[in-house]
Amino acid sequence: MALRKFFVGGNWKMNGNKESLGELISTLNTASLHDETEVVCAAPSIYLDFARSNLDPRISVAAQNSYKVAKGAFTGEISPAMIRDCGADWVLLGHSERRHVFGESDELIGQKVAHALENDLGVIACIGEKLDEREAGTTEEVVYAQTQVIAENVKDWGNVVLAYEPVWAIGTGKTATPEQAQEVHEKLRAWLRANVSDDVADSVRIIYGGSVTGANCRELASQGDVDGFLVGGASLKPEFVDIINARA
């Protein structure tokens, strides 16, 4: 079994300004963070340069989205090349809000994944089911289909983190129980073993995103197939430090 380094991403979403984000960055820079945890903060695109210029180098920076081509007449979009030019190393792709608020298809997300990886960005690829899908018993069907399209666009899994985010547990205050999270992560790893390779199944980090807080992070982190978190609202608060240190 490969040793998978714990990975915690903070998704700031469309929040903050230079003053409030500067305070958050100062908190992170001065905090005692567990050496064995990889930390990435996903800043709004307009603050990527600000975040990278001010965050301690031990914390990486991600964009929250990117487009499928390098440049062109795509008003409002940003490219992986632009993201790298701001010093960021990662991008979030396929987040449930991109899928369900902005209507991005599996196919488009796959194209974005391929282009980001071709341009040496690490990809945090998000998958997850909605409440009606979970209640209908189609969780596995949904997440396997989403993972399949991502897998078709990955040549080297070394720069990919898979983020399972049950949509019904994002911003709702509901959280999958540690057992529910572990069950889906374990099945995703089995899917990778069957459809990609043993090496990828053992080495790819599958992180959990769904109302993770300082109060529930340690129990979630104790699950064998939960390799970290993608944190929303709590990543804007001092408790983000506790989440980063969930395995300390």
Side-chain angles (χ1 to χ4, degrees), residues 37-216:
T37 298
E38 186 170 359
V39 184
V40 177
C41 289
S45 60
I46 200 167
Y47 295 130
L48 283 172
D49 189 59
F50 176 80
R52 183 61 286 160
S53 297
N54 290 281
L55 270 170
D56 189 289
R58 64 188 166 152
I59 300 171
S60 296
V61 174
Q64 296 175 12
N65 191 31
S66 65
Y67 200 48
K68 64 180 181 179
V69 296
K71 59 182 179 181
F74 303 104
T75 301
E77 293 290 343
I78 60 172
S79 71
M82 293 173 176
I83 293 165
R84 288 203 60 83
D85 197 37
C86 288
D89 299 316
W90 291 86
V91 63
L92 284 178
L93 292 172
H95 191 281
S96 62
E97 289 154 13
R98 299 305 313 175
R99 293 177 185 272
H100 304 303
V101 178
F102 298 101
E104 293 188 5
S105 66
D106 286 346
E107 180 185 20
L108 175 59
I109 291 160
Q111 292 168 336
K112 289 181 172 189
V113 167
H115 184 61
L117 291 172
E118 287 165 4
N119 284 269
D120 299 322
L121 274 184
V123 171
I124 303 167
C126 305
I127 57 174
E129 82 282 17
K130 295 184 291 184
L131 181 60
D132 59 336
E133 293 165 336
R134 172 165 278 270
E135 290 178 341
T138 60
T139 291
E140 291 168 50
E141 182 181 333
V142 170
V143 297
Y144 292 167
Q146 292 171 344
T147 307
Q148 174 70 46
V149 178
I150 291 165
E152 289 169 355
N153 288 279
V154 176
K155 295 174 183 173
D156 177 5
W157 285 86
N159 289 324
V160 179
V161 171
L162 205 55
Y164 168 60
E165 39 163 33
V167 183
W168 50 271
I170 298 173
T172 61
K174 295 180 180 178
T175 310
T177 64
E179 293 75 22
Q180 285 175 317
Q182 166 62 19
E183 180 185 21
V184 177
H185 284 227
E186 187 176 15
K187 288 177 176 177
L188 281 167
R189 206 172 298 286
W191 186 94
L192 291 169
R193 194 173 305 282
N195 293 277
V196 184
S197 73
D198 287 344
D199 285 347
V200 168
D202 288 339
S203 63
V204 165
R205 292 171 290 183
I206 305 175
I207 64 175
Y208 173 75
S211 297
V212 178
T213 67
N216 61 26

